[in-house]
Amino acid sequence: MSDTYYEFGTAAERWDRAQFFFESKEYTTAARILAGLVEETPEQVAPRLLLARAYYHSARLVRAETELRAVLELDPVEQYARLMLGRTLERQGRQAEADTQLRLASALSGEFTPTGGA
C-alpha cells in the first residue's frame, strides 16, 4: 500500500478505516492512519487516544506514552488514558510512576479506596 491510501478520503472515512484496522489487530496500519488525523486535529481526544492504544498494542511504548500525556493535557480527567498510561509505564519498568497513574485512574472511576486509618 502506498502512503496515498492512508491519506485518501475525508477525515471521517480515514477515522472509520483506522478503526477497522485497529479492530482487525493491524495496529501499525491503524497508527499510520491515525497519526495523520492527529496531526490535522491535535485538539481532538478520540483519535489521539486510539493512536496511543495502537502504539501500545504494537509495543511502541514511548510513542504511546507521548500520546497519552497529550490526551491528559487536553482532558486531565480522562480515566482510560490514565489507566493506559499506568499500564504503559508498567511495561517500561517504571512502576513508581505507573502506580501514581493507576491510583488516579482508580479514583476517577470511583473504585478508589483510601488506605490508612480514619
Side-chain angles (χ1 to χ4, degrees), residues 46-114:
R48 197 175 286 274
L49 187 56
L50 190 58
L51 177 58
R53 292 177 63 199
Y55 284 149
Y56 178 86
H57 287 296
S58 60
R60 293 186 281 177
L61 301 177
V62 172
R63 288 183 179 187
E65 179 184 352
T66 299
E67 292 304 325
L68 290 164
R69 291 191 187 279
V71 166
L72 292 169
E73 281 289 317
L74 295 167
D75 186 358
V77 295
E78 170 52 62
Q79 184 268 337
Y80 189 69
R82 293 265 175 215
L83 176 64
M84 277 199 60
L85 181 56
R87 298 290 181 231
T88 300
L89 293 168
E90 278 182 331
R91 283 182 69 184
Q92 293 179 65
R94 296 161 56 191
Q95 193 61 50
E97 291 174 82
D99 289 344
T100 299
Q101 296 301 323
L102 294 171
R103 278 193 302 275
L104 285 167
S106 179
L108 289 169
S109 72
E111 298 173 10
F112 183 72
T113 52

Side-chain angles (χ1 to χ4, degrees), residues 1-6 17 20-21 26 29 32-33:
M1 282 186 252
S2 69
D3 287 340
T4 307
Y5 173 77
Y6 298 105
R17 189 177 306 127
F20 170 79
F21 280 111
E26 294 288 335
T29 304
R32 266 180 93 175
I33 298 165

